[in-house]
Structure formats: C-alpha cells, structure tokens
Amino acid sequence: MRLNRIICLVAVTGICTVQAAEKTDNHLPGPNPITVSSPREIGQNDFHWQGVVAPERAIEINGIKGNIRAEATSGSEVEVVANKHAGRSNPDDVQIRVLKHDGGVTICAVYPRGDPGEPNVCVPGGGSSHTHNNDVRVDFTVRVPSGVRLVARTVDGDVEAASLDGNVEASSVLGSIRISTAGYARAKTVTGSITASLGNANWPGQIEFETITGEITLSLPAKSNTELHAESISGIISTEFPLTIQGSVNRQEMNGTIGNGGRKLVLKTISGPIKLLRAT
C-alpha cells in the first residue's frame, strides 16, 4: 500500500507541474494579469526575456520537453533565454509565453493541441499540458538575482540550479535534479536522481525530496534542527548527522530528530540510496 501511495503522489505531481502564463513588462501588476508584447527573437528559434522580479517573489519556468538550467547573476534583473530545437516538428508551433502576477513572473512553453478540446494554457503554479507527438524541445537558461525564488518544472528533462542565493522548488518526471543554493529547496522527480546542497536550514513547516527511480543526496548546514523521515525500498539510508531515533530503524525507513527538531524533512525513493550529508 505504501508503495502505491508514493508512486501516485510523485507521478501525478510530476505530470501536472507543467505550465504557467503570459505577459512582458518590467513592473508587477495587480491581481488580474494580462498578456502583453510578444517575445524578442534573438535567433531562429530563440526567446529572450529580461526584467525585474521583486525579492522573495519567484521566477517560474514551466517546460514540458527540455532542460532547465539556472545560475546566479550579480545584476538586479532576471534573464531568461529559451532555445527550441526539433527533429520533425516545427519549432515555431511552440510558443513561449510570459505572465506577470503578484507572485512574480511565470514563463512557459505552450505546445499546440493536436485534437479538438481545451487548449493548452500558461498559468502560475503549474497545470496540465499535452504535446500530442510534437518533438520540439525547449531548453531554458535562467539567470537569477540574489533574493529571487526559482520555481523550475519540466516533464522530460533535467533541472539544474547552480550557486543560487534564494529558495528553489524543482520538479521533473523523466530527469535528474541538481540544486546548490544559499537558501532552502524542495524537489520531486520520477525517474532520476536528486542532489541538493542547502545553505539555509530554517525552512518553515516541511520540505520534501522525492523520487521513484534514483538516489537522493542532500547536504545541510552543520547546525540543522529538523525531524527526519527517510524511506527507501531498495537502497541504504545513511546520515552524517547525530540522530535521536524515533521508533525502530531498518534498511528501508528511518525516523529521528536532528538537533532540536521542529521543522520536518522528508526524503523518499523506491530504488536508490539516501545520503544525508553534513556540510563542513
């Protein structure tokens, strides 16, 4: 029963976290976002957007096929470049849309529908989308200023966030996730490993790192306080932190308190080891 619950939770989360919205100027509007100017072409199949996102708000990237790579920038503006490439489909059929809203800026790849029905849309917070055998891949590169949150979602592709300053939320279905940030993060995929290094252990409530096929390696600051739940069906669970055990310990499950506890940390995989490392 537990195995079935995990598969449904992660699979549904991954498949459904794929869309966003639409718009393009440099200040945040009120609660009713609207679409504005079309993207600037910088190459045959390239898209470029640059603008200000307020601290603590998010730049959200919703892809379907393709990788997402984020890196830090010393500037004050977010910069997003998307490159489209395909074997047989027309890259021009896939639109890149930008939406500004109270929570930040959402940018997504919107594929054409191949049959009658509800069209694909771009909305904040993710949504469902269909490619209907369209083989266009859209790779995003995002440059993120200090203090801006990153939300990165794709279905068929990897997510990498390197040396960021803000908090990160990443998800994929068929891809690995790598995160390095001075903030905290959460990540989910289905087929792929998760590697994350967090500089801030003061997250509110609970964060999760979950996959089905792949290992999880997480590095936390040495002075972390959290309640740990780690679960792996066919992998060894290990931690470098002193752990006050809660209940019994076995190869498949570990529950315990690190430091003074309080907030919660959940690590789950079905096929792969779990490693919790202590940053030096």
Side-chain angles (χ1 to χ4, degrees):
M1 292 298 292
R2 181 176 64 190
L3 178 61
N4 290 335
R5 287 199 304 270
I6 297 171
I7 292 174
C8 291
L9 171 65
V10 180
V12 171
T13 301
I15 294 294
C16 293
T17 53
V18 192
Q19 285 248 50
E22 169 169 335
K23 177 170 183 178
T24 306
D25 58 347
N26 287 338
H27 62 278
L28 292 171
N32 297 314
I34 58 174
T35 303
V36 293
S37 60
S38 60
R40 177 171 65 88
E41 294 288 340
I42 61 173
Q44 183 178 2
N45 297 316
D46 289 349
F47 162 92
H48 177 268
W49 179 88
Q50 190 168 346
V52 173
V53 177
E56 305 302 325
R57 296 186 182 181
I59 176 66
E60 176 184 20
I61 306 297
N62 289 328
I64 301 177
K65 294 180 178 180
N67 303 323
I68 301 174
R69 174 176 170 79
E71 56 193 36
T73 178
S74 59
S76 60
E77 294 186 328
V78 173
E79 184 177 7
V80 179
V81 174
N83 180 261
K84 296 185 287 185
H85 48 98
R88 53 178 174 76
S89 302
N90 184 359
D92 291 337
D93 290 341
V94 178
Q95 300 179 11
I96 310 298
R97 295 183 183 170
V98 181
L99 179 70
K100 290 193 172 185
H101 48 86
D102 287 344
V105 175
T106 297
I107 298 178
C108 30
V110 180
Y111 285 70
R113 289 297 298 264
D115 58 5
E118 183 179 354
N120 291 327
V121 295
C122 187
V123 295
S128 61
S129 186
H130 305 275
T131 61
H132 290 285
N133 297 317
N134 189 305
D135 74 343
V136 175
R137 295 184 66 85
V138 183
D139 294 324
F140 286 94
T141 300
V142 190
R143 295 177 178 89
V144 186
S146 176
V148 174
R149 295 189 298 112
L150 171 70
V151 179
R153 302 184 178 99
T154 186
V155 173
D156 182 2
D158 298 332
V159 178
E160 182 175 3
S163 302
L164 298 188
D165 177 73
N167 301 329
V168 178
E169 178 182 339
S171 66
S172 181
V173 176
L174 305 174
S176 295
I177 298 174
R178 298 181 62 88
I179 299 171
S180 172
T181 180
Y184 56 83
R186 51 174 47 88
K188 291 185 180 182
T189 186
V190 174
T191 302
S193 297
I194 299 174
T195 303
S197 176
L198 312 187
N200 183 353
N202 296 319
W203 59 85
Q206 176 174 303
I207 59 173
E208 309 85 16
F209 295 85
E210 299 182 9
T211 183
I212 289 181
T213 304
E215 67 178 63
I216 298 174
T217 303
L218 175 64
S219 176
L220 294 179
K223 295 182 179 180
S224 295
N225 299 292
T226 185
E227 304 292 335
L228 171 67
H229 173 76
E231 186 176 319
S232 177
I233 302 301
S234 62
I236 296 174
I237 302 171
S238 62
T239 175
E240 294 182 348
F241 286 89
L243 192 67
T244 302
I245 297 299
Q246 300 171 359
S248 60
V249 178
N250 54 59
R251 283 174 56 106
Q252 284 74 44
E253 188 170 329
M254 179 183 295
N255 294 283
T257 301
I258 296 173
N260 297 323
R263 57 194 55 83
K264 296 182 179 180
L265 171 63
V266 176
L267 309 175
K268 289 184 180 180
T269 182
I270 291 177
S271 177
I274 294 175
K275 303 174 185 178
L276 183 58
L277 308 179
R278 185 176 183 178
T280 56

